[in-house]
mmCIF file of all heavy atoms in Angstrom:
data_model
loop_
_atom_site.group_PDB
_atom_site.id
_atom_site.type_symbol
_atom_site.label_atom_id
_atom_site.label_comp_id
_atom_site.label_asym_id
_atom_site.label_seq_id
_atom_site.Cartn_x
_atom_site.Cartn_y
_atom_site.Cartn_z
ATOM 1 N N SER A 1352 6.983 33.393 -11.547
ATOM 2 C CA SER A 1352 7.786 33.679 -10.472
ATOM 3 C C SER A 1352 7.370 32.932 -9.172
ATOM 4 O O SER A 1352 7.837 33.134 -8.047
ATOM 5 C CB SER A 1352 7.719 35.131 -10.132
ATOM 6 O OG SER A 1352 6.281 35.536 -9.824
ATOM 7 N N THR A 1353 6.617 31.797 -9.387
ATOM 8 C CA THR A 1353 6.268 30.974 -8.306
ATOM 9 C C THR A 1353 6.607 29.640 -8.414
ATOM 10 O O THR A 1353 6.561 28.955 -9.417
ATOM 11 C CB THR A 1353 4.581 31.053 -8.266
ATOM 12 O OG1 THR A 1353 4.148 32.382 -8.362
ATOM 13 C CG2 THR A 1353 4.070 30.180 -7.147
ATOM 14 N N THR A 1354 7.131 29.123 -7.209
ATOM 15 C CA THR A 1354 7.514 27.616 -7.202
ATOM 16 C C THR A 1354 6.302 26.863 -7.325
ATOM 17 O O THR A 1354 5.179 27.031 -6.815
ATOM 18 C CB THR A 1354 8.205 27.351 -5.823
ATOM 19 O OG1 THR A 1354 9.327 28.123 -5.726
ATOM 20 C CG2 THR A 1354 8.393 25.884 -5.804
ATOM 21 N N MET A 1355 6.454 25.763 -8.226
ATOM 22 C CA MET A 1355 5.272 24.890 -8.495
ATOM 23 C C MET A 1355 5.745 23.392 -8.261
ATOM 24 O O MET A 1355 7.006 23.119 -8.588
ATOM 25 C CB MET A 1355 4.845 25.004 -9.990
ATOM 26 C CG MET A 1355 4.268 26.432 -10.211
ATOM 27 S SD MET A 1355 2.729 26.735 -9.278
ATOM 28 C CE MET A 1355 1.591 25.399 -9.801
ATOM 29 N N SER A 1356 4.860 22.558 -7.900
ATOM 30 C CA SER A 1356 5.171 21.147 -7.712
ATOM 31 C C SER A 1356 4.107 20.174 -8.156
ATOM 32 O O SER A 1356 3.013 20.657 -8.397
ATOM 33 C CB SER A 1356 5.308 20.958 -6.148
ATOM 34 O OG SER A 1356 6.287 21.722 -5.559
ATOM 35 N N TRP A 1357 4.588 18.996 -8.346
ATOM 36 C CA TRP A 1357 3.680 17.849 -8.548
ATOM 37 C C TRP A 1357 3.676 16.875 -7.464
ATOM 38 O O TRP A 1357 4.753 16.611 -6.882
ATOM 39 C CB TRP A 1357 4.030 17.103 -9.851
ATOM 40 C CG TRP A 1357 3.817 17.689 -11.096
ATOM 41 C CD1 TRP A 1357 4.599 18.481 -11.923
ATOM 42 C CD2 TRP A 1357 2.544 17.741 -11.858
ATOM 43 N NE1 TRP A 1357 3.878 18.957 -13.045
ATOM 44 C CE2 TRP A 1357 2.669 18.627 -13.039
ATOM 45 C CE3 TRP A 1357 1.298 17.224 -11.504
ATOM 46 C CZ2 TRP A 1357 1.689 18.838 -13.843
ATOM 47 C CZ3 TRP A 1357 0.105 17.440 -12.431
ATOM 48 C CH2 TRP A 1357 0.460 18.179 -13.538
ATOM 49 N N TYR A 1358 2.503 16.495 -6.897
ATOM 50 C CA TYR A 1358 2.452 15.510 -5.908
ATOM 51 C C TYR A 1358 1.509 14.372 -6.476
ATOM 52 O O TYR A 1358 0.842 14.549 -7.498
ATOM 53 C CB TYR A 1358 1.698 16.059 -4.732
ATOM 54 C CG TYR A 1358 2.739 16.722 -3.710
ATOM 55 C CD1 TYR A 1358 3.160 18.008 -4.231
ATOM 56 C CD2 TYR A 1358 3.094 16.177 -2.509
ATOM 57 C CE1 TYR A 1358 4.020 18.637 -3.342
ATOM 58 C CE2 TYR A 1358 3.911 16.906 -1.751
ATOM 59 C CZ TYR A 1358 4.421 18.166 -2.188
ATOM 60 O OH TYR A 1358 5.190 18.877 -1.245
ATOM 61 N N ARG A 1359 1.467 13.150 -5.913
ATOM 62 C CA ARG A 1359 0.571 12.153 -6.305
ATOM 63 C C ARG A 1359 0.056 11.331 -5.041
ATOM 64 O O ARG A 1359 0.718 11.397 -3.965
ATOM 65 C CB ARG A 1359 1.313 11.202 -7.237
ATOM 66 C CG ARG A 1359 2.458 10.357 -6.605
ATOM 67 C CD ARG A 1359 3.252 9.650 -7.683
ATOM 68 N NE ARG A 1359 4.376 8.789 -7.152
ATOM 69 C CZ ARG A 1359 5.163 8.167 -7.868
ATOM 70 N NH1 ARG A 1359 5.129 8.093 -9.227
ATOM 71 N NH2 ARG A 1359 6.116 7.375 -7.250
ATOM 72 N N GLN A 1360 -1.023 10.748 -5.226
ATOM 73 C CA GLN A 1360 -1.574 9.918 -4.207
ATOM 74 C C GLN A 1360 -2.183 8.644 -4.793
ATOM 75 O O GLN A 1360 -2.982 8.700 -5.616
ATOM 76 C CB GLN A 1360 -2.667 10.739 -3.518
ATOM 77 C CG GLN A 1360 -3.221 10.074 -2.252
ATOM 78 C CD GLN A 1360 -4.084 10.980 -1.397
ATOM 79 O OE1 GLN A 1360 -4.498 12.041 -1.975
ATOM 80 N NE2 GLN A 1360 -4.211 10.733 -0.057
ATOM 81 N N ALA A 1361 -1.618 7.548 -4.343
ATOM 82 C CA ALA A 1361 -2.046 6.325 -4.675
ATOM 83 C C ALA A 1361 -3.228 5.907 -3.853
ATOM 84 O O ALA A 1361 -3.361 6.302 -2.749
ATOM 85 C CB ALA A 1361 -1.013 5.169 -4.672
ATOM 86 N N PRO A 1362 -4.126 4.930 -4.185
ATOM 87 C CA PRO A 1362 -5.225 4.422 -3.458
ATOM 88 C C PRO A 1362 -4.642 3.822 -2.017
ATOM 89 O O PRO A 1362 -3.742 3.098 -2.014
ATOM 90 C CB PRO A 1362 -5.857 3.299 -4.215
ATOM 91 C CG PRO A 1362 -5.489 3.624 -5.653
ATOM 92 C CD PRO A 1362 -4.118 4.247 -5.541
ATOM 93 N N GLY A 1363 -5.213 4.379 -0.948
ATOM 94 C CA GLY A 1363 -4.886 3.879 0.334
ATOM 95 C C GLY A 1363 -3.564 4.544 0.818
ATOM 96 O O GLY A 1363 -3.105 4.149 1.905
ATOM 97 N N LYS A 1364 -2.979 5.343 0.164
ATOM 98 C CA LYS A 1364 -1.564 5.928 0.504
ATOM 99 C C LYS A 1364 -1.908 7.392 0.803
ATOM 100 O O LYS A 1364 -2.779 7.971 0.255
ATOM 101 C CB LYS A 1364 -0.616 5.713 -0.533
ATOM 102 C CG LYS A 1364 -0.457 4.226 -1.025
ATOM 103 C CD LYS A 1364 0.144 3.439 0.162
ATOM 104 C CE LYS A 1364 0.460 1.963 -0.290
ATOM 105 N NZ LYS A 1364 0.929 1.195 0.770
ATOM 106 N N GLU A 1365 -0.853 7.952 1.514
ATOM 107 C CA GLU A 1365 -0.800 9.455 1.660
ATOM 108 C C GLU A 1365 -0.268 10.079 0.375
ATOM 109 O O GLU A 1365 0.494 9.500 -0.300
ATOM 110 C CB GLU A 1365 -0.058 9.785 2.805
ATOM 111 C CG GLU A 1365 -0.680 9.316 4.248
ATOM 112 C CD GLU A 1365 0.133 9.826 5.460
ATOM 113 O OE1 GLU A 1365 1.226 10.476 5.336
ATOM 114 O OE2 GLU A 1365 -0.286 9.533 6.543
ATOM 115 N N ARG A 1366 -0.600 11.307 0.241
ATOM 116 C CA ARG A 1366 -0.039 12.124 -0.858
ATOM 117 C C ARG A 1366 1.409 12.375 -0.640
ATOM 118 O O ARG A 1366 1.888 12.491 0.474
ATOM 119 C CB ARG A 1366 -0.759 13.510 -0.940
ATOM 120 C CG ARG A 1366 -0.536 14.208 -2.161
ATOM 121 C CD ARG A 1366 -1.448 15.436 -2.331
ATOM 122 N NE ARG A 1366 -2.947 14.988 -2.295
ATOM 123 C CZ ARG A 1366 -3.887 15.809 -2.465
ATOM 124 N NH1 ARG A 1366 -3.702 17.059 -2.699
ATOM 125 N NH2 ARG A 1366 -5.185 15.251 -2.541
ATOM 126 N N GLU A 1367 2.146 12.090 -1.780
ATOM 127 C CA GLU A 1367 3.693 12.267 -1.701
ATOM 128 C C GLU A 1367 4.146 13.174 -2.686
ATOM 129 O O GLU A 1367 3.602 13.330 -3.791
ATOM 130 C CB GLU A 1367 4.297 10.812 -1.854
ATOM 131 C CG GLU A 1367 3.981 10.102 -3.199
ATOM 132 C CD GLU A 1367 4.760 8.863 -3.530
ATOM 133 O OE1 GLU A 1367 5.628 8.509 -2.537
ATOM 134 O OE2 GLU A 1367 4.552 8.189 -4.437
ATOM 135 N N PHE A 1368 5.386 13.690 -2.437
ATOM 136 C CA PHE A 1368 5.940 14.595 -3.335
ATOM 137 C C PHE A 1368 6.572 13.901 -4.534
ATOM 138 O O PHE A 1368 7.060 12.703 -4.452
ATOM 139 C CB PHE A 1368 7.114 15.218 -2.588
ATOM 140 C CG PHE A 1368 8.097 16.015 -3.452
ATOM 141 C CD1 PHE A 1368 7.758 17.332 -3.989
ATOM 142 C CD2 PHE A 1368 9.278 15.405 -3.818
ATOM 143 C CE1 PHE A 1368 8.608 18.011 -4.817
ATOM 144 C CE2 PHE A 1368 10.272 16.271 -4.582
ATOM 145 C CZ PHE A 1368 9.858 17.482 -5.065
ATOM 146 N N VAL A 1369 6.431 14.503 -5.724
ATOM 147 C CA VAL A 1369 6.938 14.073 -7.027
ATOM 148 C C VAL A 1369 8.145 14.812 -7.489
ATOM 149 O O VAL A 1369 9.143 14.362 -7.842
ATOM 150 C CB VAL A 1369 5.861 13.786 -8.091
ATOM 151 C CG1 VAL A 1369 6.524 13.474 -9.475
ATOM 152 C CG2 VAL A 1369 4.727 12.876 -7.532
ATOM 153 N N ALA A 1370 7.882 16.096 -7.768
ATOM 154 C CA ALA A 1370 8.777 17.097 -8.373
ATOM 155 C C ALA A 1370 8.335 18.512 -7.997
ATOM 156 O O ALA A 1370 7.214 18.779 -7.798
ATOM 157 C CB ALA A 1370 8.949 16.762 -9.807
ATOM 158 N N THR A 1371 9.413 19.406 -8.077
ATOM 159 C CA THR A 1371 9.098 20.742 -7.858
ATOM 160 C C THR A 1371 10.188 21.596 -8.713
ATOM 161 O O THR A 1371 11.164 21.184 -9.066
ATOM 162 C CB THR A 1371 9.302 21.188 -6.479
ATOM 163 O OG1 THR A 1371 8.833 22.599 -6.256
ATOM 164 C CG2 THR A 1371 10.820 21.112 -5.970
ATOM 165 N N THR A 1372 9.707 22.761 -9.114
ATOM 166 C CA THR A 1372 10.471 23.729 -9.919
ATOM 167 C C THR A 1372 10.236 25.051 -9.494
ATOM 168 O O THR A 1372 9.158 25.550 -9.112
ATOM 169 C CB THR A 1372 10.256 23.482 -11.287
ATOM 170 O OG1 THR A 1372 11.071 24.428 -12.153
ATOM 171 C CG2 THR A 1372 8.794 23.902 -11.703
ATOM 172 N N GLY A 1373 11.344 25.854 -9.313
ATOM 173 C CA GLY A 1373 11.165 27.238 -9.064
ATOM 174 C C GLY A 1373 10.781 28.004 -10.207
ATOM 175 O O GLY A 1373 10.271 27.516 -11.146
ATOM 176 N N ALA A 1374 11.105 29.351 -10.149
ATOM 177 C CA ALA A 1374 10.807 30.239 -11.233
ATOM 178 C C ALA A 1374 11.503 29.730 -12.430
ATOM 179 O O ALA A 1374 12.349 28.946 -12.304
ATOM 180 C CB ALA A 1374 11.128 31.648 -10.985
ATOM 181 N N VAL A 1375 11.040 30.262 -13.651
ATOM 182 C CA VAL A 1375 11.810 29.855 -14.938
ATOM 183 C C VAL A 1375 13.293 30.046 -14.722
ATOM 184 O O VAL A 1375 13.717 31.022 -14.343
ATOM 185 C CB VAL A 1375 11.217 30.629 -16.090
ATOM 186 C CG1 VAL A 1375 12.106 30.288 -17.312
ATOM 187 C CG2 VAL A 1375 9.774 30.401 -16.326
ATOM 188 N N GLY A 1376 14.052 29.006 -14.963
ATOM 189 C CA GLY A 1376 15.409 29.027 -14.885
ATOM 190 C C GLY A 1376 15.900 28.533 -13.482
ATOM 191 O O GLY A 1376 17.184 28.457 -13.188
ATOM 192 N N GLY A 1377 15.059 28.261 -12.666
ATOM 193 C CA GLY A 1377 15.230 27.905 -11.261
ATOM 194 C C GLY A 1377 15.519 26.377 -11.083
ATOM 195 O O GLY A 1377 15.546 25.682 -11.993
ATOM 196 N N ALA A 1378 15.800 26.082 -9.897
ATOM 197 C CA ALA A 1378 16.302 24.594 -9.606
ATOM 198 C C ALA A 1378 15.084 23.700 -9.796
ATOM 199 O O ALA A 1378 13.952 24.060 -9.611
ATOM 200 C CB ALA A 1378 16.869 24.507 -8.144
ATOM 201 N N THR A 1379 15.375 22.411 -10.004
ATOM 202 C CA THR A 1379 14.271 21.379 -10.003
ATOM 203 C C THR A 1379 14.770 20.174 -9.121
ATOM 204 O O THR A 1379 15.901 20.009 -8.880
ATOM 205 C CB THR A 1379 14.070 20.882 -11.376
ATOM 206 O OG1 THR A 1379 15.292 20.236 -11.965
ATOM 207 C CG2 THR A 1379 13.542 21.868 -12.367
ATOM 208 N N TYR A 1380 13.803 19.565 -8.552
ATOM 209 C CA TYR A 1380 14.070 18.518 -7.540
ATOM 210 C C TYR A 1380 12.991 17.483 -7.807
ATOM 211 O O TYR A 1380 11.895 17.757 -8.101
ATOM 212 C CB TYR A 1380 13.854 19.078 -6.016
ATOM 213 C CG TYR A 1380 14.781 20.212 -5.757
ATOM 214 C CD1 TYR A 1380 14.435 21.467 -5.851
ATOM 215 C CD2 TYR A 1380 16.035 19.970 -5.259
ATOM 216 C CE1 TYR A 1380 15.220 22.611 -5.456
ATOM 217 C CE2 TYR A 1380 16.919 20.939 -4.959
ATOM 218 C CZ TYR A 1380 16.492 22.290 -5.047
ATOM 219 O OH TYR A 1380 17.406 23.305 -4.823
ATOM 220 N N TYR A 1381 13.490 16.206 -7.526
ATOM 221 C CA TYR A 1381 12.578 15.087 -7.847
ATOM 222 C C TYR A 1381 12.681 14.114 -6.690
ATOM 223 O O TYR A 1381 13.771 14.013 -6.018
ATOM 224 C CB TYR A 1381 13.107 14.423 -9.107
ATOM 225 C CG TYR A 1381 12.966 15.230 -10.339
ATOM 226 C CD1 TYR A 1381 14.006 15.969 -10.567
ATOM 227 C CD2 TYR A 1381 11.854 15.260 -11.013
ATOM 228 C CE1 TYR A 1381 13.910 16.864 -11.902
ATOM 229 C CE2 TYR A 1381 11.758 16.033 -12.230
ATOM 230 C CZ TYR A 1381 12.776 16.799 -12.616
ATOM 231 O OH TYR A 1381 12.712 17.645 -13.706
ATOM 232 N N SER A 1382 11.622 13.335 -6.484
ATOM 233 C CA SER A 1382 11.745 12.301 -5.506
ATOM 234 C C SER A 1382 12.593 11.261 -6.007
ATOM 235 O O SER A 1382 13.004 11.093 -7.131
ATOM 236 C CB SER A 1382 10.341 11.669 -5.314
ATOM 237 O OG SER A 1382 9.768 10.983 -6.483
ATOM 238 N N ASP A 1383 13.244 10.409 -5.071
ATOM 239 C CA ASP A 1383 14.156 9.302 -5.492
ATOM 240 C C ASP A 1383 13.504 8.359 -6.410
ATOM 241 O O ASP A 1383 14.124 7.818 -7.345
ATOM 242 C CB ASP A 1383 14.522 8.497 -4.269
ATOM 243 C CG ASP A 1383 15.719 9.445 -3.397
ATOM 244 O OD1 ASP A 1383 16.119 10.380 -3.914
ATOM 245 O OD2 ASP A 1383 15.695 9.061 -2.166
ATOM 246 N N SER A 1384 12.180 8.147 -6.345
ATOM 247 C CA SER A 1384 11.505 7.099 -7.090
ATOM 248 C C SER A 1384 11.190 7.586 -8.544
ATOM 249 O O SER A 1384 11.023 6.784 -9.432
ATOM 250 C CB SER A 1384 10.291 6.714 -6.513
ATOM 251 O OG SER A 1384 9.311 7.754 -6.394
ATOM 252 N N THR A 1385 11.353 8.993 -8.794
ATOM 253 C CA THR A 1385 10.935 9.499 -10.101
ATOM 254 C C THR A 1385 12.115 10.175 -10.850
ATOM 255 O O THR A 1385 12.065 10.226 -12.123
ATOM 256 C CB THR A 1385 9.844 10.459 -9.921
ATOM 257 O OG1 THR A 1385 10.133 11.585 -9.165
ATOM 258 C CG2 THR A 1385 8.549 9.773 -9.418
ATOM 259 N N LYS A 1386 13.167 10.573 -10.078
ATOM 260 C CA LYS A 1386 14.309 11.206 -10.804
ATOM 261 C C LYS A 1386 14.954 10.274 -11.780
ATOM 262 O O LYS A 1386 15.111 9.060 -11.483
ATOM 263 C CB LYS A 1386 15.258 11.806 -9.856
ATOM 264 C CG LYS A 1386 15.897 10.734 -8.892
ATOM 265 C CD LYS A 1386 16.951 11.373 -7.989
ATOM 266 C CE LYS A 1386 17.625 10.496 -7.038
ATOM 267 N NZ LYS A 1386 18.507 11.195 -6.017
ATOM 268 N N GLY A 1387 15.277 10.844 -13.032
ATOM 269 C CA GLY A 1387 15.830 10.133 -14.088
ATOM 270 C C GLY A 1387 14.766 9.602 -14.948
ATOM 271 O O GLY A 1387 15.069 9.298 -16.157
ATOM 272 N N ARG A 1388 13.485 9.644 -14.599
ATOM 273 C CA ARG A 1388 12.392 9.058 -15.335
ATOM 274 C C ARG A 1388 11.368 10.299 -15.679
ATOM 275 O O ARG A 1388 10.791 10.340 -16.689
ATOM 276 C CB ARG A 1388 11.593 8.090 -14.733
ATOM 277 C CG ARG A 1388 12.464 6.727 -14.520
ATOM 278 C CD ARG A 1388 11.594 5.580 -14.085
ATOM 279 N NE ARG A 1388 11.003 5.925 -12.778
ATOM 280 C CZ ARG A 1388 9.696 5.883 -12.510
ATOM 281 N NH1 ARG A 1388 8.777 5.730 -13.489
ATOM 282 N NH2 ARG A 1388 9.125 6.180 -11.355
#
C-alpha cells in the first residue's frame, strides 16, 4: 500500500528520479531517459 520509487546517482551527479509505482495496480511513472526501456 506504499508508493515506491527507484532513483540513481552517477559519479559527480545529483541523485535523479528513475521510476515510481503506487500500490499494486497503481500508476507507474518513468523518467524520459528510461521509459520504454
